[in-house]
Amino acid sequence: MIHAADIREWRNHSVVDPKGHKIGVLEAIYVDTTTDEPAMATVRTGPPTRHRLTFVPLGEAILGPDYVKVSYDKALVKKAPAIGMDDILPAEAEEAIFQHYDMAYQPGAAGERQLARR
């Protein structure tokens, strides 16, 4: 398991898929609000003038010397829900991210968000 303190150090490092193909650059970490453990990362993708932040789960991520390897194929990540570089993830958009990766979405009992940026 990757701990929040560890993964923050990897901001601006490459994010690669299981085959080593570069997906983009790690921008931010989102933790599960229930456990406070890293759950998702945003990856800076796209051409320089049209960067966007694409979400990818960190559940089985592996830290390498200068990269973070996620367990999802580059093509799947590139099609994942994304936000603009200066945007904030709307609460109502969280579920779509989980659905994209066939993951269960579990908001809090009172409707609290499942993800929080750290």
Side-chain angles (χ1 to χ4, degrees):
M1 174 182 291
I2 298 173
H3 298 285
D6 299 331
I7 196 75
R8 284 189 195 113
E9 297 173 12
W10 293 92
R11 189 168 187 262
N12 292 321
H13 282 73
S14 294
V15 176
V16 299
D17 73 1
K19 295 179 182 175
H21 299 119
K22 184 175 178 181
I23 299 169
V25 177
L26 190 120
E27 179 70 25
I29 301 301
Y30 284 75
V31 298
D32 183 314
T33 56
T34 307
T35 64
D36 206 38
E37 292 294 326
M40 298 270 179
T42 53
V43 181
R44 190 169 56 236
T45 61
T49 58
R50 295 179 40 196
H51 277 153
R52 62 191 188 122
L53 299 175
T54 306
F55 288 84
V56 63
L58 290 172
E60 297 177 20
I62 298 169
L63 298 177
D66 58 354
Y67 62 87
V68 177
K69 184 183 287 187
V70 295
S71 59
Y72 296 92
D73 187 68
K74 179 179 180 176
L76 180 65
V77 176
K78 293 278 189 164
K79 293 178 184 174
I83 57 175
M85 290 296 293
D86 296 323
D87 294 341
I88 296 171
L89 175 64
E92 59 273 5
E94 282 187 352
E95 188 170 5
I97 297 166
F98 285 82
Q99 287 177 347
H100 180 77
Y101 292 104
D102 292 324
M103 298 171 63
Y105 178 68
Q106 194 69 33
E112 298 93 353
R113 300 177 72 127
Q114 184 171 345
L115 298 174
R117 185 175 174 165
R118 292 283 188 257

